[in-house]
């Protein structure tokens, strides 16, 4: 599931959000690579969000593989300290068919950390990891 390198992902997304409103906050979150999650949890997630908005733009390696560009997702919750998002993506399997994944991401604004969870539908466990985020200029 390692479809593209994080640095390329960052450059592509940065170019695509360059026209975003100056009030948007862009978080680049580096997620820890834990062996049990390898391939299911992206190593970089980039989020562009205007505080108070009902939607955000998200990008990671699976999104780039599937759609070729960032996607718009609903904001599940937002406080002064946390931004929570959720989205689904269907990725192809090597032997045909595919995997439906539901991702949940929480960015803890003042701590500049993130928690991400991935549920692969049809499997009994939820994978999760955490990481650090930097605020990029939009």
């Amino acid at each position: 599931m390692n479809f593209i390198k994080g640095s390329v992902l960052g450059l592509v997304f940065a170019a695509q959000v360059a026209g975003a409103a100056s009030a948007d906050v862009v978080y680049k979150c580096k997620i820890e690579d834990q062996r049990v999650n390898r391939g299911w949890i992206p190593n970089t997630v980039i989020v562009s969000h205007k505080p108070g908005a009902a939607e955000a733009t998200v990008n990671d390696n699976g999104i780039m593989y599937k759609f070729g560009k960032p996607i718009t997702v609903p904001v599940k919750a937002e406080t002064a300290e946390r931004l929570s998002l959720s989205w689904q993506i269907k990725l192809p399997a090597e032997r045909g068919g595919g995997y439906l994944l539901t991702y949940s991401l929480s960015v803890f604004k003042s701590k500049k950390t993130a928690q991400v969870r991935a549920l692969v539908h049809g499997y009994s466990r939820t994978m999760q990891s955490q990481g650090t985020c930097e605020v990029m200029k939009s």
Side-chain angles (χ1 to χ4, degrees):
M1 291 256 180
N2 186 9
F3 302 113
I4 62 173
K5 300 286 183 194
S7 59
V8 173
L9 174 70
L11 292 173
V12 170
F13 189 73
Q16 290 175 337
V17 298
S22 61
D24 283 10
V25 178
V26 179
Y27 299 96
K28 181 179 181 182
C29 301
K30 298 278 190 177
I31 306 301
E32 293 176 11
D33 183 13
Q34 299 178 356
R35 288 181 181 245
V36 296
N37 297 330
R38 187 161 287 148
W40 298 111
I41 302 280
N43 58 8
T44 302
V45 179
I46 301 175
V47 175
S48 177
H49 176 254
K50 183 174 183 172
E55 297 179 323
T57 303
V58 178
N59 201 5
D60 66 24
N61 54 350
I63 291 169
M64 284 301 294
Y65 178 81
K66 177 73 176 183
F67 302 106
K69 63 182 182 177
I71 60 172
T72 300
V73 303
V75 171
K76 293 297 182 183
E78 182 181 16
T79 66
E81 289 299 313
R82 182 185 66 162
L83 173 65
S84 295
L85 312 169
S86 182
W87 66 95
Q88 287 189 331
I89 185 171
K90 185 171 184 179
L91 296 174
E94 289 181 10
R95 297 182 183 155
Y99 298 103
L100 179 62
L101 294 100
T102 298
Y103 287 99
S104 299
L105 173 75
S106 290
V107 175
F108 298 91
K109 299 173 185 178
S110 65
K111 294 179 183 178
K112 293 188 174 71
T113 60
Q115 292 181 344
V116 64
R117 290 183 179 86
L119 170 64
V120 182
H121 294 259
Y123 289 80
S124 61
R125 75 184 259 280
T126 299
M127 290 150 282
Q128 56 189 359
S129 191
Q130 61 279 331
T132 58
C133 301
E134 66 177 287
V135 177
M136 301 171 62
K137 294 182 181 181
S138 62

